[in-house]
Each structure stands twice: as structure tokens, then as C-alpha cells.
Amino acid sequence: MVVNLSIIINMVNSVPFTFLGIWLYGKYGVASVLRVVMTVLLIGTLIRASVFKIDGFWPVIVGSYICSCCNPFFINCQVIIANVWFTDKERAVATAL
């Protein structure tokens, strides 16, 4: 049940955080947003790793939630970088790879 919950949380987070990521990339730029997202991802990973010191399974759920909030930012970043670096003919191939 708990594993299914973490998968459902990941799927539910993807839609609102995709819109948030697009807005933040437009307002603050790719580099600034990715620095903050990487910091949040590190915090989520450290919380997940704390399961070895803390008795219980709740750090895995909390850390997985925090990490799943960061996933849409990385997925959307690829398209934004491809729009800047590649021409129209190369963009589809670069995004697909």
C-alpha cells in the first residue's frame, strides 16, 4: 500500500509542478531554478536516507514526496534548453534523445 501511495503521489505532483516549473523558468531563468530544485532534491534524498537512523518508514514517504516535486522541473528543462540551443529542424531530434 505504501509503495502504491508513493507512485500515486508522483503522478499527482507532475501536473501542478509542470505548470509551476514553466512559470518559474520564464520568470527566473533555467540556471537559478535548477539550483534551487537541486537543493530541494538533495534535502529529499537526505530525508529518504535517514531511514537508516530513524525507526520507521515515514522518512521514505516524505523524502519521496519532496523528490517527486522536483521531477517535472527536470523534464521541462530539456525542452527549454533545446529551444535555445537547436534550430527548428534539430529541435525534434534533440528533444527526443
Side-chain angles (χ1 to χ4, degrees), residues 26-69:
K27 184 165 181 151
Y28 297 109
V30 176
S32 300
V33 173
L34 284 181
R35 283 188 191 106
V36 172
V37 170
M38 285 302 298
T39 304
V40 172
L41 186 66
L42 177 67
I43 291 169
T45 305
L46 291 175
I47 291 173
R48 285 181 67 179
S50 71
V51 75
F52 296 112
K53 299 287 182 183
I54 299 173
D55 201 22
F57 198 67
W58 69 267
V60 174
I61 297 299
V62 173
S64 294
Y65 175 76
I66 293 172
C67 290
S68 73
C69 293

Side-chain angles (χ1 to χ4, degrees), residues 8-18 64-66 68-69 72:
I8 290 170
I9 287 172
N10 195 3
M11 290 187 319
V12 170
N13 276 345
S14 64
V15 174
F17 281 98
T18 294
S64 294
Y65 175 76
I66 293 172
S68 73
C69 293

